[in-house]
Amino acid sequence: MATFMIYSSKEKQALELITAAKSVGAAAVKAVCINDEAQANALAAAGAEVLLINNDAISLADVAAVASALGQVAAQLGADTILLSSDRRGKEAAGRLAAILDAGCLTDISAIKANGDKIECQRNALGGATVATQYIASDKKIIAIRPKTFDAPGAGSGSVNAMTVDVKASAVKLIETKTRGGDSVDIEAAEALVVVGQGLNSKDDLPAVEALAKKLGGEVACSKPVATDKKWLSEERIVGLSGKKCKPELAIILGISGQVQFTVGIRDAKVIVAVNSDENATINGMADYILTADMHDVIKEMNSSL
Amino acid sequence: MEVTLPAVVTVLSDINEARIPSVTQILKAGKKPKEVLELDEVGVKIPPAASVVTVSNLAPETERKRIVVKSVAELIQSLTTEGVIGR
């Protein structure tokens, strides 16, 4: 029987990983928390056997130190199946930990399923054009799962135990941290997204788009050219392969043809509405509701009727 | 951040504008001398078996309704029925 261990620096994602481990048959889930007692308590309340490391030498910005600590804990616990969150640092930790433990590694996983003693994982391949199903054949497995793939687990009774690890002096030094200026929107967290593309005539049309997003209780997002070429919106709002991958309840896609580089970022939305002046636009093939009309008229009409 | 050497640094694709070589430059580069080394000459060992097995790699199934609506009013009606607006 596999011994499961999970880690994420973020509480919400760590909770999701507990559910993930249980979904593939983990009887007990061991969770690692680093310098975060609040997270340790939350994970224990969700039934995890938490190992809390308090060590000021480990900075979360230094993924090498995090991976080294995780490697030591995994060795002590005899953990062979390690689940991490597939965010930027989680993916780096996955690679580093795989090297430390000589384990097989898969990242960007969007679904997992137990099949006998294998854990079958799905992830996008070929730039999102296909979905590959893969499993790790080695004894030790590291799987980084995309945030929001699983829900938080129900309450359980776990435990928190302290653990100590030795971490080498870091080769990476944090000189300063600055808060990022400008747009701090989190389109991945939005319940509704109004996504605009190159069909948008001018920057002057944006206030109406923003008004619509607000009415729907969501945010404005865009395809890449709107942010990088036209610079009408910040790069924080890009949906797609080189932007964010979003799973809102509702996505209203306005004036976007639907190339795979874009659709990979929105195809997990619950309900997709495509508004395009071209009735043969590719985007219509992946929409729940298709409206062939000028997006500007649609925005105006929706704003006045909602 | 600061790192002691040797170090591996990965950069994002938008860190700078890459210099795109012209066709003649690409053709010229093909004529430069090349030295081909075998793996054991450089001391690189490839693990005997791949640790990841691909079961399938298929285009994603899209189970979308693809309902064509004629007007904004009809769209709003449908979305209200879905429970995704007017929450």
Side-chain angles (χ1 to χ4, degrees), chain A residues 102-123:
Chain A
D102 200 14
C105 177
L106 283 170
T107 59
D108 279 322
I109 298 305
S110 55
I112 59 173
K113 195 178 81 183
N115 182 0
D117 57 349
K118 299 182 189 102
I119 299 176
E120 290 188 344
C121 304
Q122 289 194 341
R123 63 168 168 175

Side-chain angles (χ1 to χ4, degrees), chain A residues 61 104-106 125 129-138 171-175 191 216 249-250 267 269-273 284-291 301-302 305, chain B residues 1-4 12-14 50-73 75-76 78-79 82-87:
Chain A
C105 177
L106 283 170
T130 61
V131 176
T133 302
Q134 300 175 300
Y135 66 86
I136 300 172
S138 55
V172 177
K173 206 166 79 188
L174 186 64
I175 301 166
E191 292 287 315
L216 296 167
E249 291 287 302
L250 171 65
R267 69 178 176 217
K270 187 170 163 242
V271 175
I272 295 179
V273 177
N284 292 351
M286 58 167 289
D288 294 297
Y289 296 97
I290 299 160
L291 181 56
E301 210 178 323
M302 285 190 88
S305 33
Chain B
M1 306 267 266
E2 193 176 83
V3 65
T4 51
L12 295 174
S13 58
D14 55 1
S51 59
V52 170
V53 179
T54 302
V55 181
S56 67
N57 189 6
L58 304 167
E61 283 175 33
T62 46
E63 289 166 18
R64 294 287 172 182
K65 300 191 184 106
R66 298 171 71 173
I67 298 169
V68 176
V69 289
K70 294 273 180 285
S71 67
V72 171
L75 176 64
I76 290 174
S78 307
L79 294 180
E82 290 264 4
V84 287
I85 57 172
R87 279 168 295 158

Side-chain angles (χ1 to χ4, degrees), chain A residues 124 127-129 146-148 187-190 193 195 221-224 237-251 253 256 258-272 283 286, chain B residues 60 64:
Chain A
N124 288 334
R146 274 168 50 182
K148 291 210 269 185
I187 58 168
E188 284 167 306
L193 284 180
V195 197
C222 62
S223 62
K224 196 177 179 203
R237 294 183 190 264
I238 299 175
V239 165
L241 194 61
S242 50
K244 306 269 173 66
K245 293 174 187 70
C246 304
K247 276 173 91 169
E249 291 287 302
L250 171 65
I253 300 173
I256 292 179
Q259 297 303 309
V260 68
Q261 290 82 353
F262 167 77
T263 59
V264 66
I266 201 73
R267 69 178 176 217
D268 293 331
K270 187 170 163 242
V271 175
I272 295 179
I283 192 79
M286 58 167 289
Chain B
R64 294 287 172 182

Side-chain angles (χ1 to χ4, degrees), chain A residues 5 7 32 34 65-75 82 84 93 97 101:
Chain A
M5 181 178 115
Y7 169 77
V32 183
I34 299 175
V66 172
S68 162
L70 293 176
Q72 292 172 50
V73 180
I82 300 166
L84 304 171
L97 193 53
L101 299 174

